Amino acid sequence: MANVLGIVAGGLVGLGFGRLISERFQKTLMMACAVAVIFLGLTGTVKEMLVVTEGGVELTGTYRMLASLIGGALIGEAINIEDRMEQFGVWLKKKTGSSGDTRIVDGFVTASLTVCIGAMAVIGSINDRLLADPSVLFAKTVLDAVIVMIMTSALGRGCIFSALSVGIFQGAIFLAAGLLEPFMTPEALSALSAVGDILIFCVGTNLFGLPHVRVANFLPALVIAVVWML
């Protein structure tokens, strides 16, 4: 709940801030978002996949990463997760009377992917349920609030609705924590984090306006990464 409220609060601040600045500044803020998201994704992936040994630096988990991304893309395209998210965004657009807002769907999908993907969402929800320790989720709440605040100022109020995605995603993990705990070994969490950070990197490239990556359709890669380590 705290994470959801944090995103809403950050989004409302960003929405008010965005109305006070010109389109030129909004574009600059969007580029700042892109750089920040790319940096978060890149550093997270490097942290998980690069290992320092006596012989130098080695890249680990390459085959796991390739299998996860390729397999995840095939499953995701078959299910067409991204189109379903966009359809939900269109539904929200109609229900909120935002027909004139051309950015609401893009803002919703982009912000949802940014705040839902990653090990913190999984670890935080499991720790909260099984250990009564919400500290990871509280840390994530602060990060998400800042990220959504900046995104909302650049992409509009669609980003605020990412709170729904976080509520559903983390709520489902919270409820299923008892079943998931045996599978969430340190190795599995490391694999999840590495692949998740690659997807976050792709979200950043989308913000830059580079050739669009249908990131949502890669989400099954997270499951494959965990299963690979079992």
Side-chain angles (χ1 to χ4, degrees):
M1 180 61 72
N3 207 170
V4 172
L5 294 176
I7 289 172
V8 172
L12 291 174
V13 172
L15 186 62
F17 181 61
R19 289 173 176 169
L20 299 176
I21 60 178
S22 66
E23 184 178 350
R24 179 169 62 90
F25 278 93
Q26 288 182 14
K27 288 182 178 179
T28 302
L29 280 173
M30 187 162 10
M31 292 300 100
C33 284
V35 172
V37 173
I38 285 175
F39 178 78
L40 288 172
L42 185 60
T43 53
T45 302
V46 169
K47 182 181 71 173
E48 299 296 341
M49 295 188 66
L50 284 185
V51 177
V52 179
T53 64
E54 293 181 358
V57 178
E58 295 181 358
L59 185 65
T60 63
T62 305
Y63 295 120
R64 180 189 64 226
M65 179 264 292
L66 288 172
S68 298
L69 292 177
I70 294 172
L74 292 173
I75 296 171
E77 284 293 337
I79 302 173
N80 215 346
I81 300 173
E82 181 132 341
D83 279 358
R84 296 179 187 277
M85 287 187 69
E86 290 178 354
Q87 288 168 9
F88 183 62
V90 171
W91 180 81
L92 285 174
K93 184 176 179 179
K94 292 178 180 177
K95 291 297 182 180
T96 56
S98 306
S99 299
D101 188 349
T102 58
R103 301 180 302 173
I104 190 169
V105 176
D106 185 41
F108 165 70
V109 174
T110 301
S112 293
L113 291 171
T114 304
V115 297
C116 285
I117 298 174
M120 286 186 78
V122 177
I123 298 171
S125 299
I126 291 175
N127 284 357
D128 191 19
R129 173 68 185 274
L130 300 180
L131 304 178
D133 178 13
S135 59
V136 175
L137 285 184
F138 285 154
K140 183 176 182 293
T141 296
V142 175
L143 292 173
D144 288 351
V146 174
I147 290 171
V148 172
M149 179 183 68
I150 298 172
M151 282 190 166
T152 304
S153 66
L155 295 175
R157 57 180 170 176
C159 299
I160 300 175
F161 293 109
S162 63
L164 294 174
S165 303
V166 165
I168 293 171
F169 180 69
Q170 292 182 182
I173 294 174
F174 179 86
L175 293 175
L179 298 175
L180 293 176
E181 185 191 22
F183 305 107
M184 291 298 136
T185 62
E187 294 78 12
L189 287 171
S190 176
L192 172 71
S193 182
V195 174
D197 285 326
I198 291 173
L199 300 188
I200 289 175
F201 175 87
C202 293
V203 171
T205 64
N206 285 345
L207 288 172
F208 258 127
L210 298 175
H212 185 74
V213 180
R214 291 165 61 85
V215 179
N217 284 353
F218 281 86
L219 290 177
L222 300 174
V223 178
I224 295 175
V226 172
V227 172
W228 183 282
M229 302 305 297
L230 297 181

